Amino acid sequence: MNTLLIYGATGYTGRMAAQRAKALGLPFEIAGRNRQHLVDLAAQLDVPWRVFEAGPDSAQSLSGIRVLLNFAGPFAHTAPALMAACIEAGVDYLDITAEINVYRLAERLGADAAASGVMLLPGVGWDVVPTDSLAAHIVRRVANPVALSIALQVPGSMSRGSAMSVSEIIGAGVLTRIDGALVPTPDAQPRQFDFGDGPVPCAPLSFGDLVTAWHSTRIPNMAMFVHVAGNAFPEGDLSQLPDGPSAQERDANRARAVAQVTDADGSVLRSVIETVNGYTFTPLAAVEAARRVLGGDRQAGFATPASVFGVDFASTIAGTTITDL
């Protein structure tokens, strides 16, 4: 019963995670919808495999599993069924989504999960591990934080799966947390943020941090932004995109985020986190999170990376630095 199941293991990021889990010697199996792809990867890694759809009967496919790590996006299509299955089967649920509605779903299901002794922990990849650690870090720099803004920098090209998830994020509309509540703000305006090389324009967009940072910090007012460089947000037929950026492209594009906190006395402070490329960071962080959960680092109900693994979790991933400005 101390086995990890990596769902969506044959995808771009899921495959890297499975390779990482194998390198660490974790007890794990792989799963997904495509039998032949699973057979091929299982043979390469010498691990067991399971084939099943994320649907109403998923719980029966989780026998013998302790932790499910979901890499199959768009997560709006897989997370509802897999969360429900985990609650039914007594399995902790983790994923790497950036889709805010998946976090809101996990939040709503938190009480049911807690009653079943199950943890729902979405966002153990680049979204939201670095920004959750950053939010929990910066809140300690002021006495009475009242507002928090977080901006992400998206460098390089995007994977096909991420591009499809972005449509879910955009479809959720622009939300802002005001006095603790999530409020639609369709008229939200772009703002300038400095990631370390001077101010750049950033557009408002609703990421999962509007949920996770609220739980990790309880700052009542929050907004999210993104700076897109180059062709990071592709257009057209997304199904025709390549799986994801090459190793060389990942190495050439590190990822950054900036958090800006306002104290009740009006003072404003900034902190920046920089990591390896998000697609390199995600399998490292996700598998490390799963390893820790298998080892007993967990809490029943809806949870955030910083609340379960501590403020410094992101910094345990090689190449990560936080700079206070």
Side-chain angles (χ1 to χ4, degrees), residues 229-252:
N231 62 346
F233 277 15
E235 298 177 350
D237 185 355
L238 302 181
S239 67
Q240 299 304 307
L241 292 174
D243 285 349
S246 66
Q248 292 78 12
E249 187 176 4
R250 294 199 307 270
D251 289 344

PDB file of all heavy atoms in Angstrom, residues 229-252:
ATOM      1  N   ALA A 229       6.860  36.105 -22.847  1.00  0.00           N
ATOM      2  CA  ALA A 229       7.976  36.493 -23.717  1.00  0.00           C
ATOM      3  C   ALA A 229       7.960  35.653 -24.986  1.00  0.00           C
ATOM      4  O   ALA A 229       7.755  34.435 -24.934  1.00  0.00           O
ATOM      5  CB  ALA A 229       9.305  36.306 -22.976  1.00  0.00           C
ATOM      6  N   GLY A 230       8.151  36.296 -26.122  1.00  0.00           N
ATOM      7  CA  GLY A 230       8.234  35.573 -27.385  1.00  0.00           C
ATOM      8  C   GLY A 230       6.938  34.890 -27.743  1.00  0.00           C
ATOM      9  O   GLY A 230       5.854  35.455 -27.621  1.00  0.00           O
ATOM     10  N   ASN A 231       7.034  33.620 -28.169  1.00  0.00           N
ATOM     11  CA  ASN A 231       5.852  32.875 -28.619  1.00  0.00           C
ATOM     12  C   ASN A 231       5.404  31.871 -27.577  1.00  0.00           C
ATOM     13  O   ASN A 231       4.951  30.782 -27.906  1.00  0.00           O
ATOM     14  CB  ASN A 231       6.159  32.156 -29.940  1.00  0.00           C
ATOM     15  CG  ASN A 231       7.290  31.136 -29.790  1.00  0.00           C
ATOM     16  OD1 ASN A 231       8.009  31.150 -28.791  1.00  0.00           O
ATOM     17  ND2 ASN A 231       7.437  30.270 -30.778  1.00  0.00           N
ATOM     18  N   ALA A 232       5.527  32.224 -26.306  1.00  0.00           N
ATOM     19  CA  ALA A 232       5.228  31.267 -25.251  1.00  0.00           C
ATOM     20  C   ALA A 232       3.778  30.809 -25.279  1.00  0.00           C
ATOM     21  O   ALA A 232       3.483  29.654 -24.972  1.00  0.00           O
ATOM     22  CB  ALA A 232       5.552  31.873 -23.890  1.00  0.00           C
ATOM     23  N   PHE A 233       2.835  31.715 -25.626  1.00  0.00           N
ATOM     24  CA  PHE A 233       1.428  31.338 -25.703  1.00  0.00           C
ATOM     25  C   PHE A 233       1.067  31.092 -27.168  1.00  0.00           C
ATOM     26  O   PHE A 233       0.787  32.029 -27.910  1.00  0.00           O
ATOM     27  CB  PHE A 233       0.541  32.439 -25.116  1.00  0.00           C
ATOM     28  CG  PHE A 233       0.414  32.390 -23.617  1.00  0.00           C
ATOM     29  CD1 PHE A 233       1.283  31.641 -22.839  1.00  0.00           C
ATOM     30  CD2 PHE A 233      -0.581  33.107 -22.969  1.00  0.00           C
ATOM     31  CE1 PHE A 233       1.192  31.602 -21.466  1.00  0.00           C
ATOM     32  CE2 PHE A 233      -0.693  33.076 -21.583  1.00  0.00           C
ATOM     33  CZ  PHE A 233       0.201  32.319 -20.831  1.00  0.00           C
ATOM     34  N   PRO A 234       1.073  29.848 -27.607  1.00  0.00           N
ATOM     35  CA  PRO A 234       0.830  29.561 -29.023  1.00  0.00           C
ATOM     36  C   PRO A 234      -0.638  29.725 -29.401  1.00  0.00           C
ATOM     37  O   PRO A 234      -1.525  29.701 -28.547  1.00  0.00           O
ATOM     38  CB  PRO A 234       1.271  28.102 -29.153  1.00  0.00           C
ATOM     39  CG  PRO A 234       1.054  27.534 -27.792  1.00  0.00           C
ATOM     40  CD  PRO A 234       1.353  28.649 -26.822  1.00  0.00           C
ATOM     41  N   GLU A 235      -0.882  29.867 -30.693  1.00  0.00           N
ATOM     42  CA  GLU A 235      -2.233  29.974 -31.217  1.00  0.00           C
ATOM     43  C   GLU A 235      -2.424  28.931 -32.306  1.00  0.00           C
ATOM     44  O   GLU A 235      -1.485  28.259 -32.722  1.00  0.00           O
ATOM     45  CB  GLU A 235      -2.475  31.383 -31.769  1.00  0.00           C
ATOM     46  CG  GLU A 235      -2.357  32.485 -30.718  1.00  0.00           C
ATOM     47  CD  GLU A 235      -2.541  33.864 -31.312  1.00  0.00           C
ATOM     48  OE1 GLU A 235      -2.561  33.974 -32.560  1.00  0.00           O
ATOM     49  OE2 GLU A 235      -2.659  34.834 -30.532  1.00  0.00           O
ATOM     50  N   GLY A 236      -3.668  28.787 -32.791  1.00  0.00           N
ATOM     51  CA  GLY A 236      -3.952  27.838 -33.854  1.00  0.00           C
ATOM     52  C   GLY A 236      -4.343  26.481 -33.305  1.00  0.00           C
ATOM     53  O   GLY A 236      -4.844  26.360 -32.190  1.00  0.00           O
ATOM     54  N   ASP A 237      -4.109  25.441 -34.090  1.00  0.00           N
ATOM     55  CA  ASP A 237      -4.470  24.084 -33.716  1.00  0.00           C
ATOM     56  C   ASP A 237      -3.453  23.550 -32.709  1.00  0.00           C
ATOM     57  O   ASP A 237      -2.356  23.119 -33.074  1.00  0.00           O
ATOM     58  CB  ASP A 237      -4.503  23.194 -34.965  1.00  0.00           C
ATOM     59  CG  ASP A 237      -4.994  21.790 -34.667  1.00  0.00           C
ATOM     60  OD1 ASP A 237      -5.226  21.481 -33.478  1.00  0.00           O
ATOM     61  OD2 ASP A 237      -5.140  21.003 -35.616  1.00  0.00           O
ATOM     62  N   LEU A 238      -3.834  23.585 -31.429  1.00  0.00           N
ATOM     63  CA  LEU A 238      -2.896  23.205 -30.372  1.00  0.00           C
ATOM     64  C   LEU A 238      -2.504  21.736 -30.443  1.00  0.00           C
ATOM     65  O   LEU A 238      -1.411  21.358 -29.996  1.00  0.00           O
ATOM     66  CB  LEU A 238      -3.504  23.522 -29.005  1.00  0.00           C
ATOM     67  CG  LEU A 238      -3.896  24.986 -28.762  1.00  0.00           C
ATOM     68  CD1 LEU A 238      -4.462  25.161 -27.358  1.00  0.00           C
ATOM     69  CD2 LEU A 238      -2.709  25.914 -28.990  1.00  0.00           C
ATOM     70  N   SER A 239      -3.369  20.915 -31.011  1.00  0.00           N
ATOM     71  CA  SER A 239      -3.053  19.480 -31.089  1.00  0.00           C
ATOM     72  C   SER A 239      -1.861  19.200 -31.993  1.00  0.00           C
ATOM     73  O   SER A 239      -1.266  18.115 -31.928  1.00  0.00           O
ATOM     74  CB  SER A 239      -4.269  18.699 -31.586  1.00  0.00           C
ATOM     75  OG  SER A 239      -4.562  19.026 -32.943  1.00  0.00           O
ATOM     76  N   GLN A 240      -1.493  20.175 -32.825  1.00  0.00           N
ATOM     77  CA  GLN A 240      -0.376  19.988 -33.744  1.00  0.00           C
ATOM     78  C   GLN A 240       0.960  20.450 -33.160  1.00  0.00           C
ATOM     79  O   GLN A 240       1.995  20.355 -33.817  1.00  0.00           O
ATOM     80  CB  GLN A 240      -0.647  20.743 -35.051  1.00  0.00           C
ATOM     81  CG  GLN A 240      -1.887  20.262 -35.790  1.00  0.00           C
ATOM     82  CD  GLN A 240      -1.843  18.774 -36.087  1.00  0.00           C
ATOM     83  OE1 GLN A 240      -0.874  18.282 -36.668  1.00  0.00           O
ATOM     84  NE2 GLN A 240      -2.884  18.058 -35.685  1.00  0.00           N
ATOM     85  N   LEU A 241       0.928  20.968 -31.951  1.00  0.00           N
ATOM     86  CA  LEU A 241       2.164  21.417 -31.313  1.00  0.00           C
ATOM     87  C   LEU A 241       3.055  20.230 -30.969  1.00  0.00           C
ATOM     88  O   LEU A 241       2.564  19.118 -30.731  1.00  0.00           O
ATOM     89  CB  LEU A 241       1.845  22.190 -30.036  1.00  0.00           C
ATOM     90  CG  LEU A 241       1.163  23.546 -30.188  1.00  0.00           C
ATOM     91  CD1 LEU A 241       0.780  24.093 -28.816  1.00  0.00           C
ATOM     92  CD2 LEU A 241       2.073  24.526 -30.907  1.00  0.00           C
ATOM     93  N   PRO A 242       4.364  20.425 -30.890  1.00  0.00           N
ATOM     94  CA  PRO A 242       5.257  19.354 -30.411  1.00  0.00           C
ATOM     95  C   PRO A 242       4.989  19.057 -28.945  1.00  0.00           C
ATOM     96  O   PRO A 242       4.343  19.841 -28.242  1.00  0.00           O
ATOM     97  CB  PRO A 242       6.650  19.936 -30.623  1.00  0.00           C
ATOM     98  CG  PRO A 242       6.453  21.419 -30.642  1.00  0.00           C
ATOM     99  CD  PRO A 242       5.097  21.653 -31.247  1.00  0.00           C
ATOM    100  N   ASP A 243       5.463  17.907 -28.485  1.00  0.00           N
ATOM    101  CA  ASP A 243       5.227  17.514 -27.095  1.00  0.00           C
ATOM    102  C   ASP A 243       5.641  18.605 -26.124  1.00  0.00           C
ATOM    103  O   ASP A 243       4.936  18.899 -25.155  1.00  0.00           O
ATOM    104  CB  ASP A 243       5.997  16.231 -26.765  1.00  0.00           C
ATOM    105  CG  ASP A 243       5.340  15.006 -27.369  1.00  0.00           C
ATOM    106  OD1 ASP A 243       4.202  15.121 -27.863  1.00  0.00           O
ATOM    107  OD2 ASP A 243       5.978  13.938 -27.363  1.00  0.00           O
ATOM    108  N   GLY A 244       6.809  19.202 -26.360  1.00  0.00           N
ATOM    109  CA  GLY A 244       7.302  20.233 -25.462  1.00  0.00           C
ATOM    110  C   GLY A 244       8.681  20.687 -25.877  1.00  0.00           C
ATOM    111  O   GLY A 244       9.262  20.162 -26.832  1.00  0.00           O
ATOM    112  N   PRO A 245       9.223  21.676 -25.178  1.00  0.00           N
ATOM    113  CA  PRO A 245      10.538  22.201 -25.546  1.00  0.00           C
ATOM    114  C   PRO A 245      11.632  21.151 -25.372  1.00  0.00           C
ATOM    115  O   PRO A 245      11.549  20.281 -24.508  1.00  0.00           O
ATOM    116  CB  PRO A 245      10.727  23.378 -24.589  1.00  0.00           C
ATOM    117  CG  PRO A 245       9.788  23.128 -23.463  1.00  0.00           C
ATOM    118  CD  PRO A 245       8.633  22.389 -24.027  1.00  0.00           C
ATOM    119  N   SER A 246      12.670  21.281 -26.178  1.00  0.00           N
ATOM    120  CA  SER A 246      13.806  20.363 -26.099  1.00  0.00           C
ATOM    121  C   SER A 246      14.605  20.624 -24.826  1.00  0.00           C
ATOM    122  O   SER A 246      14.451  21.661 -24.177  1.00  0.00           O
ATOM    123  CB  SER A 246      14.717  20.554 -27.307  1.00  0.00           C
ATOM    124  OG  SER A 246      15.316  21.849 -27.267  1.00  0.00           O
ATOM    125  N   ALA A 247      15.491  19.698 -24.499  1.00  0.00           N
ATOM    126  CA  ALA A 247      16.349  19.881 -23.326  1.00  0.00           C
ATOM    127  C   ALA A 247      17.208  21.122 -23.480  1.00  0.00           C
ATOM    128  O   ALA A 247      17.446  21.856 -22.507  1.00  0.00           O
ATOM    129  CB  ALA A 247      17.225  18.644 -23.138  1.00  0.00           C
ATOM    130  N   GLN A 248      17.660  21.395 -24.698  1.00  0.00           N
ATOM    131  CA  GLN A 248      18.483  22.579 -24.937  1.00  0.00           C
ATOM    132  C   GLN A 248      17.674  23.856 -24.709  1.00  0.00           C
ATOM    133  O   GLN A 248      18.180  24.821 -24.132  1.00  0.00           O
ATOM    134  CB  GLN A 248      19.034  22.550 -26.371  1.00  0.00           C
ATOM    135  CG  GLN A 248      20.054  21.461 -26.632  1.00  0.00           C
ATOM    136  CD  GLN A 248      19.420  20.075 -26.828  1.00  0.00           C
ATOM    137  OE1 GLN A 248      18.201  19.954 -26.987  1.00  0.00           O
ATOM    138  NE2 GLN A 248      20.259  19.050 -26.791  1.00  0.00           N
ATOM    139  N   GLU A 249      16.423  23.862 -25.163  1.00  0.00           N
ATOM    140  CA  GLU A 249      15.594  25.040 -24.951  1.00  0.00           C
ATOM    141  C   GLU A 249      15.272  25.221 -23.477  1.00  0.00           C
ATOM    142  O   GLU A 249      15.251  26.347 -22.971  1.00  0.00           O
ATOM    143  CB  GLU A 249      14.304  24.947 -25.770  1.00  0.00           C
ATOM    144  CG  GLU A 249      13.483  26.227 -25.712  1.00  0.00           C
ATOM    145  CD  GLU A 249      12.249  26.179 -26.586  1.00  0.00           C
ATOM    146  OE1 GLU A 249      11.974  25.123 -27.185  1.00  0.00           O
ATOM    147  OE2 GLU A 249      11.553  27.214 -26.659  1.00  0.00           O
ATOM    148  N   ARG A 250      15.037  24.131 -22.783  1.00  0.00           N
ATOM    149  CA  ARG A 250      14.771  24.236 -21.335  1.00  0.00           C
ATOM    150  C   ARG A 250      15.989  24.820 -20.628  1.00  0.00           C
ATOM    151  O   ARG A 250      15.857  25.682 -19.748  1.00  0.00           O
ATOM    152  CB  ARG A 250      14.415  22.866 -20.752  1.00  0.00           C
ATOM    153  CG  ARG A 250      13.106  22.290 -21.271  1.00  0.00           C
ATOM    154  CD  ARG A 250      12.572  21.195 -20.369  1.00  0.00           C
ATOM    155  NE  ARG A 250      13.535  20.145 -20.087  1.00  0.00           N
ATOM    156  CZ  ARG A 250      13.688  19.043 -20.809  1.00  0.00           C
ATOM    157  NH1 ARG A 250      12.942  18.861 -21.893  1.00  0.00           N
ATOM    158  NH2 ARG A 250      14.563  18.117 -20.476  1.00  0.00           N
ATOM    159  N   ASP A 251      17.164  24.352 -20.989  1.00  0.00           N
ATOM    160  CA  ASP A 251      18.383  24.844 -20.346  1.00  0.00           C
ATOM    161  C   ASP A 251      18.600  26.337 -20.604  1.00  0.00           C
ATOM    162  O   ASP A 251      19.203  27.040 -19.790  1.00  0.00           O
ATOM    163  CB  ASP A 251      19.598  24.059 -20.839  1.00  0.00           C
ATOM    164  CG  ASP A 251      19.633  22.631 -20.317  1.00  0.00           C
ATOM    165  OD1 ASP A 251      18.895  22.337 -19.354  1.00  0.00           O
ATOM    166  OD2 ASP A 251      20.378  21.814 -20.889  1.00  0.00           O
ATOM    167  N   ALA A 252      18.099  26.826 -21.732  1.00  0.00           N
ATOM    168  CA  ALA A 252      18.331  28.221 -22.110  1.00  0.00           C
ATOM    169  C   ALA A 252      17.320  29.187 -21.506  1.00  0.00           C
ATOM    170  O   ALA A 252      17.491  30.401 -21.601  1.00  0.00           O
ATOM    171  CB  ALA A 252      18.292  28.347 -23.631  1.00  0.00           C
TER     172      ALA A 252
END
